[in-house]
Amino acid sequence: MTAPTSATPLTPYATLLGFTRYVDRTGPTKATFVGGLRKQRASRSGFNPHGQFVKALKADVAFHTGGTHLAQVADLVKPRWRPLYQALVPGATAWLESLGDPRSVELAQTRDALAMLGDLPVKINPHFGVRYADGRAEAVRLHFDETPPSEEATLATLHLMARHMDAVLPHAEPVLVDVRRGTAHRMPTDAKPDQVERWLAGEAAAFRAIWSTAA
């Protein structure tokens, strides 16, 4: 009789959200966070409470309805999620209004991409794209947290999206929308891509090392 083989080890992997939340942490909390991601992946657990919210926001862009779907969505979700949705709607509506005349903005299809930071695969997954009447386009990633996105998380998100924009939405600009506050973050004009790339490569190497040693 042959001895049973050990389970295949989980390959290190991160989503854009997971990786940018990781770079935002310091010290021992980084290891705790990566260990949690690893366990979540092993159990294939996870639930996205924002799904219906994103659909409503996309519908308002696609149908040029200026917030009609957002105004209704909190009443359509399960009661446990209503406080969350009610907290998100005002800021999202403000961002939607900041785009200008609803008829001048179209919903654009984005595609996911797989970034490699050294040996670490990171899934780049914007929520959707918008295209303006003048031809400009933006790939939009939404930030739902109660606290605003940090400078580090914002820079990492925008850099990684820009790095793979040819696959995500060609010729578009990456935008991180802080939903609760209705504000849009774009790449700082003084950002140095080479420095950001080196910083993220170091973070990815550490992420991979922690993943490999996590129980």
Side-chain angles (χ1 to χ4, degrees):
M1 178 183 294
T2 58
T5 58
S6 59
T8 303
L10 284 174
T11 304
Y13 167 83
T15 62
L16 183 60
L17 176 62
F19 184 73
T20 54
R21 281 182 168 172
Y22 159 79
V23 301
D24 214 14
R25 284 163 168 75
T26 57
T29 61
K30 281 184 178 287
T32 303
F33 182 73
V34 174
L37 290 181
R38 192 181 189 282
K39 289 177 182 176
Q40 186 180 72
R41 184 162 176 229
S43 65
R44 298 185 179 182
S45 62
F47 171 72
N48 176 15
H50 305 115
Q52 286 179 259
F53 185 88
V54 174
K55 286 181 181 179
L57 181 53
K58 289 171 67 175
D60 274 324
V61 176
F63 300 115
H64 317 293
T65 42
T68 302
H69 292 83
L70 283 174
Q72 299 170 347
V73 70
D75 294 328
L76 302 177
V77 296
K78 293 180 179 179
R80 65 175 297 193
W81 299 117
R82 282 177 191 161
L84 170 64
Y85 277 47
Q86 288 165 350
L88 295 174
V89 166
T93 304
W95 172 74
L96 200 60
E97 292 172 349
S98 76
L99 301 182
D101 184 347
R103 293 167 296 181
S104 69
V105 183
E106 301 287 343
L107 187 69
Q109 177 67 47
T110 57
R111 292 179 173 81
D112 293 348
L114 192 65
M116 292 302 297
L117 283 172
D119 294 328
L120 178 67
V122 180
K123 183 180 182 181
I124 310 301
N125 51 343
H127 286 95
F128 55 88
V130 294
R131 195 177 301 279
Y132 298 89
D134 62 6
R136 291 181 301 117
E138 295 174 342
V140 178
R141 178 77 198 174
L142 303 174
H143 175 87
F144 295 103
D145 295 355
E146 291 186 20
T147 56
S150 69
E151 183 179 339
E152 292 80 7
T154 300
L155 189 59
T157 300
L158 296 174
H159 177 84
L160 288 171
M161 287 173 62
R163 190 180 189 245
H164 295 272
M165 197 56 71
D166 284 350
V168 169
L169 183 60
H171 311 298
E173 178 187 3
V175 176
L176 179 65
V177 175
D178 181 355
V179 177
R180 289 176 186 260
R181 282 150 285 273
T183 55
H185 298 271
R186 294 174 174 81
M187 186 69 77
T189 55
D190 60 350
K192 297 177 173 59
D194 290 348
Q195 291 183 7
V196 177
E197 189 71 22
R198 287 194 294 273
W199 163 55
L200 293 180
E203 293 283 0
F207 181 105
R208 188 179 176 91
I210 295 169
W211 181 288
S212 299
T213 59

